[in-house]
Amino acid sequence: ATELWKNYQLYVEQFYDQLRLNHEMRAYDFKKNLEMKTRLCEAAEKLADVEDPVSAFHQLQKLHQEFREVGPVAKELRESVWKRFKDASTVVNKRHQDHFDNIKARDAENLQRKTDICLKVESLNIESSNNHAAWHEMTQQVLDLQAEWKSLGFGPRKAASEVFERFRVACDRFFQAKTAYFRQYREQLSANLAVRHALIEKAEALKDSTDWNATTQKLIDLQREWKAAPPVAAKLVEPLWKRFNEACNQFFHRKNEAFAGQRKEEEGNLARKKELLAELEKLAEEPGDNPLQSVRELQARWNEVGHVPFSKKEKMYRRYHELCDKIYNALHESAGKRRIDNFRRTVADKG
C-alpha cells in the first residue's frame, strides 16, 4: 500500500507538472500570437497610405491569410485584436471600392464625351463646303477632335468598341468627302490650265502678225478672255501670265515701232493743219480783195495734208468746217449785197 501510494503521488506530481508546463506554454503561445497579430494589424493599417489602392487590396488579402494561420490570443484580447485588424481592412477595402467606382464614373464620363465628339464630327456640314478655306477649317476641327479623343481614357468595355467604330466611320466619311472634293478640284484646275494654255498658244500665234488693226483687236479680246478665265494653281499663275504677257507685249512692241514714224508724220500734219486753221481764221476776219480764191487755195492745201493723230482728228475737222462755213456765209452775204446794189443802179439808170 505504501509503495502504491508513493507511485500515485508521483504520478499526480507529474500530472501537475505537465499541467503547469501546459499553462506556461499556452501563455507563451498567446503572447507570441498576440505579437504576430499586432504586427499584422500594423501592416494592415499602413496599407491605408499605399498610393495604389489595388495593390493595397491584394496585400491585404495576404495579410488576411496570415492572420487566419496565426493561432489564438488570450480570450480577453481576441475581440479587440480582431476589431483592430477588421477596421484597418475596412479602410483598405473602401479605398479599393472607391477606386473602381471612380473608374466606372470616369469611364461613363469618357463614353459621354466620346459620344459628343462623334456627334460633332457627324454634324459637320460637308455638303456646303465648296472652297479650300472651309475644308481646311473643318479638317483642323476633325484633327482637334481626334487629338481630344486620344487624350480621353477608356470607356465601359462593352460600349468602347461600339463608340470607336462610330467615331471611325464619321472620320472616314469626312476624309473621303474631302479627298473627293480635292480630286475634283484638281481635275477642274487641270481643265482650267488647258484653257490658259489655249489662250497662250493663240497669243503666241499672233505675236509676229503685221495685220496691226485686226491683230490688236484679237489680242485685246484674248486679254479679256484671260481675265475671265477660271483660276489655276497658285504656283502656276505667275509663269503662265508671264508667258501670255510676253507674247502680247512682243506684238505691241513691234506695232509701236512700226507706227513710230507714222505718229511722227501725223504730228507734223497736225502742226501744218493748225497753221492752215490760223490762216483761215485770219481770212474770216480780213477777207481781202479775193477771199473766194484765197479760201479755195487754203482748202486745196488742207486736202493735200495727210492724217493727223486720231484723238485730234474730230476736233480739227470740226474747227476747219466752222471756219469754212463762216467764210462762205460772209461771201454769200457780200454777193447778195452787190446784186442788190447793181439792181438798184439799173433801176435808177432806166428811170
Side-chain angles (χ1 to χ4, degrees):
T2 303
E3 186 66 24
L4 183 61
W5 174 252
K6 288 181 179 179
N7 288 334
Y8 171 74
Q9 290 295 328
L10 177 63
Y11 292 141
V12 168
E13 289 178 3
Q14 289 179 353
F15 168 76
Y16 282 107
D17 287 341
Q18 292 292 331
L19 183 63
R20 186 180 65 253
L21 288 173
N22 178 66
H23 284 302
E24 290 176 356
M25 292 299 296
R26 186 172 178 79
Y28 179 77
D29 285 343
F30 284 166
K31 181 181 178 182
K32 297 301 292 183
N33 292 342
L34 178 61
E35 291 176 356
M36 294 175 64
K37 288 194 173 183
T38 300
R39 189 166 57 251
L40 291 174
C41 289
E42 292 172 350
E45 290 167 346
K46 289 180 180 179
L47 290 177
D49 299 326
V50 174
E51 184 175 357
D52 184 359
V54 176
S55 174
F57 177 80
H58 290 306
Q59 292 179 53
L60 179 65
Q61 305 312 305
K62 294 179 180 179
L63 293 178
H64 270 274
Q65 181 64 30
E66 292 180 32
F67 195 91
R68 286 192 294 269
E69 292 173 355
V70 175
V73 297
K75 190 173 182 179
E76 66 275 10
L77 297 175
R78 289 176 188 175
E79 186 65 27
S80 61
V81 171
W82 168 244
K83 185 176 184 303
R84 181 181 178 183
F85 186 72
K86 184 176 70 172
D87 290 344
S89 299
T90 300
V91 173
V92 176
N93 288 331
K94 188 174 187 309
R95 287 186 63 217
H96 183 261
Q97 183 63 39
D98 291 344
H99 171 72
F100 283 98
D101 287 344
N102 292 334
I103 290 178
K104 186 176 180 181
R106 185 192 62 198
D107 288 349
E109 181 183 358
N110 289 340
L111 177 61
Q112 183 59 50
R113 292 176 65 182
K114 287 183 175 183
T115 302
D116 293 340
I117 290 175
C118 290
L119 289 172
K120 290 178 181 179
V121 178
E122 291 167 348
S123 64
L124 290 173
N125 194 359
I126 297 174
E127 289 74 15
S128 66
S129 300
N130 55 7
N131 58 70
H132 280 38
W135 279 106
H136 287 312
E137 181 180 351
M138 283 197 297
T139 299
Q140 190 57 51
Q141 292 179 28
V142 173
L143 294 177
D144 291 342
L145 291 172
Q146 288 180 333
E148 182 181 353
W149 179 283
K150 291 177 181 178
S151 68
L152 298 176
F154 296 101
R157 183 172 298 178
K158 293 181 179 180
S161 59
E162 181 180 345
V163 73
F164 175 76
E165 180 64 17
R166 179 179 176 183
F167 180 65
R168 185 189 64 78
V169 169
C171 290
D172 287 348
R173 170 178 168 267
F174 169 78
F175 285 109
Q176 287 169 3
K178 178 184 176 183
T179 300
Y181 168 80
F182 280 96
R183 183 188 302 113
Q184 182 180 2
Y185 179 76
R186 286 191 295 272
E187 292 173 354
Q188 185 61 51
L189 285 182
S190 179
N192 296 348
L193 181 61
V195 172
R196 298 274 180 170
H197 276 302
L199 293 174
I200 290 172
E201 290 172 0
K202 290 179 181 179
E204 289 177 340
L206 295 171
K207 66 182 181 180
D208 296 324
S209 174
T210 55
D211 188 357
W212 308 117
N213 292 333
T215 303
T216 297
Q217 187 57 49
K218 290 179 181 178
L219 286 176
I220 291 174
D221 292 340
L222 288 177
Q223 289 173 336
R224 189 179 298 112
E225 290 182 45
W226 183 275
K227 291 180 180 179
V232 295
K235 63 181 180 180
L236 299 176
V237 171
E238 186 62 26
L240 289 173
W241 165 247
K242 183 178 180 182
R243 182 178 168 188
F244 177 76
N245 195 44
E246 285 178 353
C248 294
N249 287 342
Q250 181 173 334
F251 168 80
F252 287 113
H253 180 70
R254 290 175 53 253
K255 178 183 176 182
N256 289 338
E257 289 181 347
F259 280 85
Q262 179 179 337
R263 284 195 296 273
K264 186 175 181 180
E265 180 182 349
E266 288 176 349
E267 291 295 335
N269 293 340
L270 178 63
R272 287 194 292 273
K273 287 197 174 184
K274 284 182 178 180
E275 294 174 357
L276 292 173
L277 288 176
E279 292 186 35
L280 286 171
E281 289 172 353
K282 183 177 180 181
L283 181 62
E285 297 297 330
E286 301 175 6
D289 296 335
N290 195 353
L292 181 59
Q293 182 178 353
S294 297
V295 73
R296 286 178 176 172
E297 290 177 357
L298 289 173
Q299 287 178 325
R301 289 166 59 191
W302 177 277
N303 292 331
E304 291 174 357
V305 178
H307 296 290
V308 298
F310 185 80
S311 59
K312 304 295 179 76
K313 178 179 178 180
E314 183 63 25
K315 182 177 179 181
M316 298 292 292
Y317 181 81
R318 187 168 55 252
R319 182 58 178 160
Y320 169 72
H321 281 281
E322 287 176 356
L323 291 172
C324 289
D325 290 343
K326 183 178 180 181
I327 294 171
Y328 280 113
N329 289 337
L331 288 175
H332 289 316
E333 290 178 4
S334 176
K337 288 180 181 179
R338 285 197 299 272
R339 284 196 297 272
I340 292 172
D341 291 340
N342 290 335
F343 176 75
R344 287 177 178 172
R345 285 196 294 272
T346 303
V347 173
D349 292 340
K350 290 182 179 180

